[in-house]
Amino acid sequence: MKGDRPSIARFMVALLAGSALLGLADSALAQQQPAPAGTPSVLPRPDFRFHGNVGRTYLDSDPAQFPQPVQAPKGAPNIVLILLDDAGFGQFSTFGGGVPSPTMDRLASEGLRYNRFHTTALCSPSRAALITGRNHHSCAFAGITEVATGYEGYTAVMPRECGTVGEVLRQNGYMTAWIGKNHNTPPWETSAVGPFDRWANGLGFDYFYGFNAGDMNHWNPTLFENRDLVPVSTDPNYHLTADIADKAIDWVRKAKSIAPDRPFLLYVAPGATHSPHHAPADWIARFKGKFDMGWDKYREETLARQKQLGVVPQEAKLTQRSEGLPAWDSLNADQKKLYAHMMEVFAAYGAHVDHHMGRVIDAVKQLPDADNTLFVYIAGDNGASAEGGIEGSINENLFFNGFAETWQDNLKAIDDLGGPKYFNHFPSAWAHAMNTPFQWTKQVASHFGGTRNPMIVSWPARIKDKGTVRSQFLHVIDVVPTIYELAGITAPTMLNGIPQKPIEGASFLDTFTDAKAKDRHVTQYFELGVNRGLYHQGWMASTISFPPWQPIRTGFDPDKQKWELYNVAEDFSQATDLAAANPQKLRELQDMWWAEAGKYNVLPLDWRASERLNAEAMGRPSLTGDRKVFTYYPGQVALPSEAAPRTLNKSWTLTATVDTSDGKNEGMIATHGGIVGGYGLYLRAGKPTFVYNFLALDRTTVAAEQPLPAGKAEIKVEFAYEGKPGEFGKPATVTLSVDGRKVGEAKIARTVPVQYSIGEGFDIGEETSSPIDFTYKPPFKFTGKIDKVVVELK
């Protein structure tokens, strides 16, 4: 059935009827929720007041009663919440996939596997929903922070009326930590001057160690400990996943050593298995030849394993290969060689992160009160990612800048995939296979390939029905109310002086002890980039806008979208479209979708993709404002792109005043970006050198023939952009001069149109992330003296 545009009258009727239905549903949910626990509904608690008799001196006063620290409710458990990144339902062995996951296997044998748990289909939205218990548009996270727009549900500015589980538990006696990925802080607030109220610490977590971005180079990450930049590691075997596990273990041991009677919330969010697919070489070698069967055969084998494990019904069908994806048998030998190896790298990446999450779990289990610890292990904030495109990618930033890659070019890099040279990502068809048995992938919120993720829950002290499967319909917004109920905590109606939105999820605590517990979550909307869905009492209406591998999205009319209908109570995988057979049910769900959209700030619909990544074009806030001249000094490092000079698609100059003692000085003077794109000005063997990295496809280098003489010098880069205002990615000419004398010049055929890099910012005097080229290794600190660096926009 095509189109779902209601008339004004029909829309209002649907809205009112939907609201009434939802009101009844909300009332029913409220009736099914447990009675409020005993913690205050207004936080923080009032200041201390002494209620005894106070005389003229302490001698004629009642005994002092010193205010005591807040105690968590009696018996409140420790909580370990693990959230992997970009992982699919059919990826890990615990749910029938081909990537070994012994940690998940072990935890599942001790607890429960949930096979109808859903996310939002994208990272920032799922993470906002996870830590607040509200829908992603309610939390202003319609998309990732980098595509925010100025509508209420789209700003990526977490509303204070959506308090986090970290803040609520912290004010109820818990110790709280967030280790790993934070993709819920607006990029323009991630500089050294904040504001910090929407960093992890400001969102209620006492301790933070990780990165403030959507993805991160796992060999050369930009990390923060609380608000402080973490120095570049000098360990030749460094890997971010191991580092995250180390810090989680260190924190939980320290916390329990200091305060053994206080419970903790440990939220661990590794960057894996989001791109770049970075894995140690010895782990990659373990998977050699394991995926030569290809993605089509993998899907068949995975579904058979899933049925054997009981994580899908025996009657579940394998959905057709999603439209636009090639059959494995249609590939030539070189394509198969490249794509199979890309999957080997991905499998190593996934097995590696599961191993290190096992180290965290094992460390927690060694603590004295380990039995009273709730473990929630969610394999993915969305389905596996198709953002590598049809032919795979060795630089995902190409996708975000609107460029396609070719397998012929990528084949040349095959021996280095997974290592520090590339920001690699497997092809879209492998992502689809990782989401077996469902259709589609990450970003596609209309179908379970984008939204259905494995969840494992273990609580030794309470869960006795070990090793079993639960099939209640759940959503990521249900995690917080479950935590509140089991910890004996009341969701506050007032938090830090701000009235709170009601929790929009429903607790599933009763499923811990009752396999046949009734679904509490009976209605759920889905929307991401106008991929839309509406689940209600066993039925699902779904409609696609664009496939994830299509970065340019024009000529679209949401009123002409084709809708599908599935009876998911019987059709586990959304394999049989019933839209033509039951148009009345489809219309009912379509109208409900619009009602839900009006209720939760989903409107206006916005299907744009790569163009929304351009912060300047979207009008997002920036510390740079309308300034044209920027002056920086040594020590200014890791300045996020949203706070750095906006040098894309315009002319600019960069002038550095330096002092060198002799002609042998080296090191980075100024750089923006890294291996996936950007520029850098540095000295190599004393010679001024400018490198422009066009998305790792071309690196234009301009270098002086002679080293700088001893003493002070002014090095200037003039970047003359040849495009007109509003034109993106046009050629440029770059001129390098020393003390007013030209020492080099080059023509740059193509310039970066949308963003230089992914999570890598602007540095003075050293390189805090990945290198612009491979002639040096970070941190490549400047060995002379930098007086200042001035950037001027033309």
Side-chain angles (χ1 to χ4, degrees):
M1 180 174 181
K2 288 187 177 181
D4 67 313
R5 181 175 184 171
S7 66
I8 297 297
R10 179 184 291 165
F11 177 79
M12 292 306 297
V13 169
L15 184 61
L16 293 170
S19 298
L21 287 171
L22 290 167
L24 291 172
D26 288 347
S27 298
L29 278 176
Q31 293 171 13
Q32 295 170 21
Q33 296 297 334
T39 59
S41 61
V42 176
L43 295 174
R45 290 161 171 81
D47 288 340
F48 171 74
R49 294 290 184 269
F50 181 72
H51 295 292
N53 180 59
V54 177
R56 292 177 62 251
T57 71
Y58 76 94
L59 294 173
D60 53 7
S61 301
D62 287 346
Q65 298 174 0
F66 206 87
Q68 296 299 307
V70 174
Q71 300 291 317
K74 185 178 180 180
N78 304 308
I79 301 167
V80 177
L81 177 58
I82 296 173
L83 179 66
L84 300 189
D85 207 339
D86 281 11
F89 187 87
Q91 177 171 323
F92 289 104
S93 62
T94 314
F95 279 72
V99 178
S101 50
T103 299
M104 289 188 220
D105 291 344
R106 188 169 67 251
L107 205 63
S109 71
E110 300 166 356
L112 307 170
R113 280 175 293 180
Y114 288 82
N115 67 350
R116 296 177 74 219
F117 175 83
H118 302 83
T119 55
T120 69
L122 197 63
C123 44
S124 294
S126 291
R127 291 161 192 271
L130 175 66
I131 63 174
T132 67
R134 285 106 173 168
N135 285 301
H136 55 300
H137 293 88
S138 294
C139 300
F141 275 92
I144 57 175
T145 61
E146 293 83 357
V147 298
T149 67
Y151 296 104
E152 189 171 340
Y154 290 71
T155 64
V157 178
M158 184 81 77
R160 291 178 175 85
E161 61 186 352
C162 295
T164 72
V165 66
E167 180 68 11
V168 173
L169 264 60
R170 186 185 68 81
Q171 293 201 33
N172 279 294
Y174 270 74
M175 304 175 284
T176 59
W178 181 338
I179 316 288
K181 173 175 173 175
N182 166 27
H183 204 191
N184 293 117
T185 302
W188 55 92
E189 295 185 359
T190 58
S191 78
V193 298
F196 299 103
D197 50 341
R198 276 180 282 267
W199 285 47
N201 297 133
L203 293 175
F205 292 84
D206 299 320
Y207 178 77
F208 173 70
Y209 182 92
F211 57 96
N212 299 320
D215 48 15
M216 187 51 61
N217 188 309
H218 276 54
W219 302 113
N220 301 107
T222 301
L223 301 174
F224 291 87
E225 186 168 28
N226 298 315
R227 301 177 184 178
D228 299 325
L229 183 69
V230 176
V232 175
S233 174
T234 58
D235 181 357
N237 298 315
Y238 177 88
H239 191 278
L240 177 57
T241 299
D243 188 17
I244 286 171
D246 289 344
K247 293 302 186 296
I249 293 168
D250 290 347
W251 180 83
V252 75
R253 286 175 172 171
K254 185 184 299 180
K256 274 299 189 179
S257 295
I258 296 170
D261 295 330
R262 291 180 64 191
F264 62 79
L265 167 63
L266 174 59
Y267 174 31
V268 186
T273 53
H274 197 294
S275 66
H277 299 167
H278 282 167
D282 58 328
W283 281 80
I284 296 173
R286 300 179 189 185
F287 293 93
K288 185 174 178 59
K290 295 292 180 69
F291 299 98
D292 289 351
M293 84 291 282
W295 43 65
D296 293 321
K297 186 66 173 177
Y298 175 94
R299 295 184 75 225
E300 295 173 4
E301 294 176 354
T302 295
L303 180 57
R305 289 190 295 262
Q306 290 172 332
K307 290 182 178 181
Q308 185 177 6
L309 288 170
V311 294
V312 306
Q314 291 302 308
E315 65 274 13
K317 299 176 182 178
L318 187 65
T319 56
Q320 293 183 350
R321 188 187 314 109
S322 293
E323 184 179 355
L325 298 176
W328 182 261
D329 289 343
S330 70
L331 307 177
N332 64 39
D334 282 341
Q335 287 174 303
K336 290 180 178 179
K337 175 184 176 181
L338 172 64
Y339 298 161
H341 184 59
M342 284 180 157
M343 182 60 213
E344 292 167 8
V345 173
F346 181 77
Y349 190 35
H352 184 252
V353 71
D354 182 74
H355 164 75
H356 284 287
M357 293 305 97
R359 292 176 49 227
V360 175
I361 291 171
D362 288 344
V364 172
K365 286 183 175 181
Q366 292 169 8
L367 299 172
D369 55 350
D371 281 353
N372 193 28
T373 301
L374 174 76
F375 295 95
V376 180
Y377 193 146
I378 303 172
D381 51 357
N382 43 248
S385 170
E387 291 158 358
I390 298 297
E391 305 200 28
S393 173
I394 60 175
N395 178 7
E396 193 189 15
N397 199 29
L398 282 163
F399 170 86
F400 293 119
N401 277 277
F403 292 95
E405 296 177 66
T406 67
W407 67 265
Q408 293 92 336
D409 288 334
N410 293 347
L411 182 64
K412 301 171 186 175
I414 189 170
D415 293 335
D416 292 314
L417 295 181
K421 287 187 176 181
Y422 297 105
F423 212 91
N424 49 289
H425 193 306
F426 62 9
S428 300
W430 272 125
H432 181 237
M434 293 304 100
N435 299 321
T436 300
F438 306 115
Q439 302 181 55
W440 298 104
T441 63
K442 174 184 176 181
Q443 294 191 27
V444 184
S446 54
H447 290 74
F448 293 153
T451 63
R452 187 164 288 182
N453 288 91
M455 181 173 69
I456 302 163
V457 176
S458 171
W459 188 4
R462 292 283 298 274
I463 294 176
K464 304 304 179 184
D465 191 15
K466 299 179 180 179
T468 56
V469 176
R470 296 291 189 264
S471 296
Q472 289 79 9
F473 183 95
L474 302 178
H475 190 268
V476 65
I477 61 176
D478 299 331
V479 174
V480 163
T482 305
I483 289 174
Y484 289 164
E485 183 180 357
L486 63 86
I489 288 172
T490 302
T493 56
M494 181 79 71
L495 182 62
N496 299 327
I498 306 295
Q500 295 294 287
K501 285 187 176 181
I503 295 294
E504 293 166 359
S507 171
F508 55 92
L509 180 61
D510 55 350
T511 68
F512 289 11
T513 54
D514 184 1
K516 297 182 179 179
K518 291 184 178 180
D519 285 10
R520 289 183 174 181
H521 201 133
V522 296
T523 304
Q524 180 61 48
Y525 82 90
F526 295 87
E527 193 280 335
L528 200 291
V530 201
N531 289 311
R532 294 181 280 163
L534 192 288
Y535 169 84
H536 180 65
Q537 295 180 343
W539 288 86
M540 182 83 175
S542 305
T543 183
I544 295 275
S545 57
F546 290 90
W549 49 85
Q550 186 173 337
I552 305 301
R553 302 175 180 181
T554 57
F556 175 72
D557 183 351
D559 294 325
K560 295 180 180 179
Q561 281 181 275
K562 178 183 177 182
W563 282 81
E564 303 160 7
L565 177 68
Y566 301 96
N567 181 359
V568 293
E570 300 176 0
D571 179 8
F572 181 84
S573 59
Q574 291 181 300
T576 304
D577 180 10
L578 302 176
N582 198 341
Q584 183 176 355
K585 173 61 71 171
L586 178 58
R587 170 54 66 186
E588 174 191 340
L589 297 186
Q590 288 174 321
D591 289 345
M592 287 186 70
W593 187 92
W594 284 104
E596 293 280 87
K599 181 178 180 181
Y600 293 115
N601 297 332
V602 180
L603 306 178
L605 299 179
D606 189 346
W607 51 90
R608 293 171 296 173
S610 58
E611 57 264 53
R612 280 173 62 182
L613 288 164
N614 190 304
E616 188 172 12
M618 291 296 105
R620 289 193 288 273
S622 170
L623 291 180
T624 63
D626 295 326
R627 284 186 293 157
K628 300 296 184 184
V629 180
F630 306 82
T631 303
Y632 299 106
Y633 301 93
Q636 178 63 69
V637 292
L639 184 65
S641 293
E642 300 276 3
R646 289 174 164 173
T647 55
L648 295 171
N649 307 304
K650 58 173 63 74
S651 297
W652 51 273
T653 63
L654 186 152
T655 305
T657 305
V658 302
D659 192 344
T660 59
S661 57
D662 55 44
K664 297 181 180 180
N665 287 105
E666 286 197 327
M668 184 61 66
I669 297 172
T671 180
H672 191 170
I675 61 169
V676 299
Y679 64 84
L681 173 65
Y682 57 80
L683 294 190
R684 183 168 57 225
K687 300 176 183 179
T689 304
F690 178 81
V691 177
Y692 188 86
N693 178 1
F694 175 72
L695 304 173
L697 296 178
D698 299 302
R699 286 181 171 88
T700 302
T701 301
V702 183
E705 295 182 358
Q706 300 297 323
L708 291 179
K712 288 188 175 183
E714 182 181 89
I715 308 171
K716 186 172 186 178
V717 175
E718 295 183 76
F719 190 91
Y721 183 65
E722 297 178 9
K724 298 176 182 178
E727 291 185 331
F728 290 74
K730 297 301 181 180
T733 299
V734 61
T735 303
L736 182 65
S737 61
V738 175
D739 292 331
R741 179 175 57 87
K742 185 168 74 173
V743 296
E745 186 175 88
K747 182 68 173 288
I748 300 173
R750 296 182 292 178
T751 60
V752 177
V754 177
Q755 63 178 30
Y756 283 130
S757 65
I758 303 174
E760 297 177 306
F762 182 81
D763 298 319
I764 300 294
E766 63 179 285
E767 175 72 85
T768 63
S769 55
S770 63
I772 286 292
D773 64 21
F774 299 109
T775 63
Y776 65 91
K777 292 184 178 181
F780 198 42
K781 291 187 176 182
F782 188 64
T783 58
K785 294 181 180 180
I786 298 174
D787 179 26
K788 62 182 178 180
V789 174
V790 178
V791 178
E792 183 175 358
L793 307 181
K794 299 297 184 182

